[in-house]
Structure formats: structure tokens, C-alpha cells
Amino acid sequence: MRQATTILSLRTEGPGLVEVTQGVADWIAETGIGEGLLTALCRHTSASLMINENAAPAVKRDMVRWLDAMAPQGSHYEHDDEGPDDMPAHLKSALTGANLSVPVAGGRMLLGTWQGLYLVEHRTRPHTREVALHLIGE
Amino acid sequence: MRQATTILSLRTEGPGLVEVTQGVADWIAETGIGEGLLTALCRHTSASLMINENAAPAVKRDMVRWLDAMAPQGSHYEHDDEGPDDMPAHLKSALTGANLSVPVAGGRMLLGTWQGLYLVEHRTRPHTREVALHLIGE
Amino acid sequence: MRQATTILSLRTEGPGLVEVTQGVADWIAETGIGEGLLTALCRHTSASLMINENAAPAVKRDMVRWLDAMAPQGSHYEHDDEGPDDMPAHLKSALTGANLSVPVAGGRMLLGTWQGLYLVEHRTRPHTREVALHLIGE
């Protein structure tokens, strides 16, 4: 039994879902660990991780609109140090969550056919985002 | 230290919570791993996993109604390839999350007294759903 | 490779976020496991866990207000065995989630600079809450 850890770095271009499935799969292959458990952690409080539908681009756009409806910008927040998209970004991160856990078998994540791993950017401006990856197994 | 993996298959009957606690506990017992970490992953983007109250059936019904209120059906979605319950199902899955992690000690999950593991079906029609389980420990 | 498990016990004082980052970090240091995977599970269905911003106290207050808006008290719930804050607490727990997974490297959790681990109390009255912690690694 052994383990591996890395940090993925990603560039985002404003609100939206950035797929990281292939990047994670490539790293798993590099580790040589074929059976185990993958953990991913978004290292930010204004971006988050999500497993979602990987086929229809419209799903991603509906998701961003829905997150905006769930945590709209407005003057009703006490915290706005970094602007009107600041507190909504923290709320969206709490809603979607910062971490994912995916079993690995035969060298592949045990995702369903239509599942992909996504980093979700909640801030208006582009950012560089880090995702910590951990794999334990053999 | 060793690990085990399996796929649970479940039948759902439309929107609602299907308890999987006993099925997961039985599989843990079969593995013979008494101390470790259990991970469960729902392999779909229109169903999800949730830890919730295991005593009062009314909680499950309130939960389904609340999810409907959070992601109502309507004509405001761009994505509706599989009907009006399609995009709301993806949104509810994002809200509740696809995976759970539960420490195991003394052969049992370290859940609280009132906690159960549930698969949540978000589609209107019955489905067969898969939950990947992974256990690492000794 | 080895593992450790413990139960953290915390006192809450009504709705709000109680930071547990330091308590978890101290326990990790005690285990002597420097590289691995930390899992935390809130053992209740009316409190939950969250990774959130650890600098501005206003974020915590906005978070509590937002959770109240997402799952308001009211007469529209079927389940109210323990009072008007009962079902909203279950809903907020489903929204934020009961468990967290954090990679550990160099003896420290791989959290981002502004990330902290929080137990979120959703009930009106003070409670004693338990968080199960599991660490596997070497």
C-alpha cells in the first residue's frame, strides 16, 4: 500500500465549470496506483468542486445561472471586502463543497458514464486555482 | 492494510430517499475490515447520496419537497433533453453531493445514532442506480 | 501505513460556525502521521461540517443568515417533532454536508491559506456535538 499527493493548478476565466477529469486521470496513471481512493480538495473558499454531467454544455450554463439564483449578489451581505461577488462566492462554495472522493479500480476512477469532475469558479474575474490531489492504494 | 471495492445496485421508484445503511454495513462485515475508511460514490448525475435522519419518515418527505423548491421544474432551463425533471435532477445532485466518507471502527461505521446513508432519486421515473463502495483499513 | 481514529467533542451556543481547524491539526500532530488523508464526519443530522473563509467574522454571520433563507422556519414542514428549528436543521445539514476529506502532507492539512474547518450548529439551543476523525497514512 502506498500513496501520492500533488497540486493541480488551473486557470479560470470567470464564473463557470472547468472540467478536470482528464487532468486527474492522467495523474492517477502517472502514480502507477491502480486500486485505491482518490481525494480532491479545492484550496479556495470562492471556488469549489463538483461532479456533474459531462455531455451537454447547456448543463454547465444552467448550473451557473442556478448558483447565481441561490446566492445572488446584492446589498444584503455584511461581508463585501472584495466586491459584490465576494460573499456569493463563499456561499456557492459552501453549497457545492470543496472536496470529492472517488474510488479507483483497474487504474480508472469509478465514475459513471456521464460523470465528470469540475472545478467551479465563483468569482467574476479570472483566477489561478489549486486543487490538491491525494491517492492511496496499490 | 488492505482494501475492497464493490458496486451496490439499487432500484428506485421515483423521487425519494432510499436507505442504504444496512446494505453498506453488510458489505463492510463481509470484507472483514474492522478499522478503516468507507467511501461511497453515486455513479449518476441525476441521483445523489446524503446522510440524514433515520427515524421519522416525515423527514424524507419534507426533504423531497424542499429539494423541489430549491430546484423547481420550469421553462427557465436551457437543458431539457430528457424532460422537465432533467436539469432539476442535476441541480439537486450538485446540492446534495455524489459522495460520502465514513470512518469505520470495531467493524461498524462511526455514524451517529440518528444517521442513515441514503441514495436520493431525483428523476420522476424509476431507475436502477449504482453506488460504488470502497473500504481501506485492516 | 497505519491509521488513527478519534472523536472530537464540541460545545455549541446556538446557530453558528465553530472553527475546529486547530483541534484537528493538534490531533493530527499527536498521531505522528505526516503524510496521509484526514476524514471528518459530523455525527448528527442537525449540525454539519463546512470548509470556509477563516479571516472575516462577517462571513460566518452572512453564512448563518443565508442558511436561514435557504431553509426558513415555518409551518410548511410535516416534521416538527423537536420544534420549528428541527426540519430546517436537517435541510441545512443536507445542504452543507456531514463529512470532509483533506489530504495531509508534511504533517499539515493541505488547506488553502484562507480555509478553515467548521462545525455548523443549526439548532437554536446549545448542544454538545461529536466529530469523528480518521487519519490514514504514514
Side-chain angles (χ1 to χ4, degrees):
Chain A
M1 200 76 76
R2 59 194 179 87
Q3 55 185 344
T5 304
T6 195
I7 307 278
L8 277 192
S9 192
L10 306 164
R11 189 72 187 160
T12 65
E13 301 296 338
L17 282 70
V18 179
E19 186 161 10
V20 297
T21 318
Q22 192 59 51
V24 174
D26 290 347
W27 177 72
I28 291 172
E30 282 171 28
T31 66
I33 298 175
E35 318 291 319
L37 175 66
L38 174 89
T39 303
L41 170 72
C42 177
R43 304 182 75 207
H44 309 273
T45 60
S46 55
S48 55
L49 294 178
M50 181 188 288
I51 291 179
N52 218 305
E53 219 265 9
N54 61 7
V59 171
K60 295 197 247 181
R61 296 188 291 264
D62 277 331
M63 183 64 67
V64 169
R65 285 186 285 257
W66 178 73
L67 289 170
D68 281 342
M70 298 292 276
Q73 293 190 19
S75 58
H76 54 298
Y77 300 115
E78 183 182 352
H79 175 78
D80 59 1
D81 297 359
E82 298 190 12
D85 63 331
D86 187 353
M87 194 62 216
H90 295 314
L91 300 175
K92 293 170 186 175
S93 296
L95 190 157
T96 54
N99 57 91
L100 298 174
S101 303
V102 183
V104 172
R108 298 168 63 96
M109 289 184 278
L110 280 176
L111 294 168
T113 309
W114 309 108
Q115 289 183 310
L117 308 184
Y118 293 89
L119 176 95
V120 194
E121 176 60 68
H122 303 303
R123 298 300 305 272
T124 303
R125 296 177 56 184
H127 280 78
T128 298
R129 299 300 196 176
E130 289 186 349
V131 178
L133 300 180
H134 177 267
L135 181 60
I136 185 167
E138 54 194 3
Chain B
M1 199 78 74
R2 60 194 180 87
Q3 55 185 344
T5 304
T6 195
I7 307 279
L8 278 192
S9 192
L10 307 165
R11 190 70 187 162
T12 64
E13 302 296 337
L17 283 71
V18 178
E19 185 159 11
V20 297
T21 318
Q22 192 58 52
V24 175
D26 289 347
W27 176 73
I28 292 173
E30 282 172 29
T31 66
I33 297 175
E35 318 291 319
L37 175 65
L38 173 90
T39 303
L41 171 71
C42 176
R43 303 182 75 206
H44 309 273
T45 60
S46 56
S48 55
L49 294 177
M50 181 188 287
I51 292 179
N52 217 305
E53 220 266 9
N54 61 6
V59 171
K60 296 197 246 181
R61 295 188 291 264
D62 277 332
M63 183 66 66
V64 169
R65 285 187 284 258
W66 178 73
L67 289 169
D68 282 341
M70 298 292 278
Q73 292 190 21
S75 59
H76 55 299
Y77 301 114
E78 183 182 351
H79 175 77
D80 58 2
D81 295 1
E82 298 190 12
D85 63 332
D86 186 354
M87 194 61 216
H90 295 315
L91 301 176
K92 293 169 186 176
S93 295
L95 191 156
T96 53
N99 58 91
L100 298 175
S101 303
V102 182
V104 172
R108 300 168 62 95
M109 290 183 277
L110 280 176
L111 295 168
T113 308
W114 308 108
Q115 288 184 311
L117 307 185
Y118 294 89
L119 176 95
V120 194
E121 176 60 68
H122 302 304
R123 297 301 304 272
T124 302
R125 296 178 54 183
H127 280 77
T128 300
R129 300 301 196 174
E130 290 185 349
V131 178
L133 300 181
H134 177 267
L135 181 59
I136 187 168
E138 56 193 3
Chain C
M1 199 78 74
R2 60 194 180 87
Q3 54 186 345
T5 303
T6 196
I7 307 279
L8 277 192
S9 192
L10 306 164
R11 190 71 188 161
T12 65
E13 302 295 337
L17 283 70
V18 178
E19 186 158 11
V20 296
T21 318
Q22 191 60 50
V24 174
D26 289 347
W27 177 73
I28 292 172
E30 282 172 28
T31 67
I33 297 175
E35 319 291 318
L37 175 65
L38 174 90
T39 303
L41 171 71
C42 177
R43 303 183 74 205
H44 308 273
T45 61
S46 55
S48 53
L49 294 178
M50 181 187 289
I51 291 179
N52 217 305
E53 219 263 11
N54 61 6
V59 171
K60 296 197 245 182
R61 295 188 292 263
D62 277 331
M63 183 65 66
V64 170
R65 285 186 285 257
W66 177 74
L67 289 169
D68 281 342
M70 299 291 277
Q73 293 190 18
S75 58
H76 55 298
Y77 301 114
E78 183 183 352
H79 175 78
D80 59 1
D81 297 359
E82 299 190 10
D85 62 332
D86 186 354
M87 193 62 215
H90 295 315
L91 301 175
K92 292 170 187 176
S93 294
L95 190 157
T96 54
N99 58 91
L100 297 175
S101 303
V102 182
V104 172
R108 298 167 63 96
M109 290 183 277
L110 279 177
L111 295 168
T113 308
W114 308 109
Q115 287 183 311
L117 308 184
Y118 294 88
L119 176 95
V120 194
E121 176 60 68
H122 302 304
R123 299 299 306 271
T124 303
R125 294 177 57 184
H127 280 77
T128 299
R129 300 300 197 176
E130 289 185 348
V131 178
L133 300 180
H134 177 267
L135 181 59
I136 187 168
E138 56 195 1

